[in-house]
Amino acid sequence: MEIIATAIKGLHEIRLKVIGDARGRFKRHFCERAFAEAGLETRFVQMNHAVTLGRGTIRGMHYQLAPAEEVKLVSCTYGRVFDVAVDLRPGSPTYRCWAALELDESVAYYIPKGCAHGFQALSEEAHLVYLHSAFYAPGAEAGVRHDDPAIRIAWPLPPANLSARDQNFPLLALDPGNQAR
């Protein structure tokens, strides 16, 4: 496992060592020791699995407000996705900047507190597994639009199959608190 810092503080690319033979493949998604040595969160309290159907489908951009903010470790166990994190931490030098990685079975994303997360399926079917450092808190749900002009995410495919909730998040420029709800 190789942990690589990105231009956004706290956001890391995790390169997974995939070992394969005639029987299949094996990889380690998480190692407490490696994460601790890199100064990353090691306590995860929840794991979710999402199956996304349809090339071009977008899910996101989601995050939780304080005090329910969470670190996410996102892995793609089947298919491929264009995975995006947006820095929404006021005062951060990369506030409103986004970074993306193409995730497949060999790459994961470590997303710090205060960043929105979303992805676009690059394959007809994609499976993502998320580890969360905080429990889901429905009252703390928040998000930003995938097409917010204040962020300008360059999605690789035409956006498709967005949920009504994801399409109706407020635009950052219109949100007087500078945080999407």
Side-chain angles (χ1 to χ4, degrees):
M1 168 179 303
E2 185 179 3
I3 300 173
I4 303 163
T6 70
I8 295 177
K9 185 178 180 180
L11 183 66
H12 291 81
E13 174 181 355
I14 312 295
R15 292 189 185 162
L16 307 171
K17 183 178 180 181
V18 180
I19 302 167
D21 61 22
R23 300 168 297 164
R25 292 177 301 284
F26 172 86
K27 63 186 168 274
R28 178 179 301 155
H29 282 269
F30 169 74
C31 176
E32 181 180 14
R33 182 180 304 133
F35 275 50
E37 288 171 358
L40 304 182
E41 179 67 56
T42 61
R43 181 178 181 268
F44 293 97
V45 299
Q46 189 170 304
M47 183 172 90
N48 297 327
H49 178 209
V51 176
T52 301
L53 303 175
R55 192 169 180 265
T57 296
I58 291 178
R59 289 185 186 250
M61 304 293 299
H62 308 139
Y63 66 104
Q64 289 195 167
L65 298 168
E69 292 174 303
E70 62 186 351
V71 169
K72 291 181 183 176
L73 177 60
V74 182
S75 301
C76 184
T77 60
Y78 180 82
R80 290 181 315 118
V81 299
F82 181 78
D83 205 84
V84 180
V86 178
D87 187 350
L88 296 177
R89 300 170 290 190
S92 169
T94 53
Y95 178 65
R96 293 189 179 182
C97 291
W98 62 275
L101 281 176
E102 186 174 314
L103 301 187
D104 59 19
E105 70 173 333
S106 66
V107 181
Y109 226 176
Y110 177 94
I111 301 169
K113 293 177 181 179
C115 288
H117 170 256
F119 65 90
Q120 183 174 52
L122 299 177
S123 53
E124 282 302 320
E125 184 172 340
H127 295 217
L128 267 64
V129 174
Y130 303 71
L131 293 178
H132 300 264
S133 68
F135 293 105
Y136 172 66
E141 279 188 324
V144 296
R145 293 243 310 258
H146 76 284
D147 60 352
D148 193 312
I151 302 169
R152 295 190 186 109
I153 298 170
W155 299 102
L157 300 172
N161 303 327
L162 282 103
S163 72
R165 180 184 85 155
D166 290 354
Q167 291 180 63
N168 290 309
F169 285 129
L171 295 172
L172 288 174
L174 301 178
D175 185 358
N178 279 334
Q179 283 196 353
R181 305 262 185 261

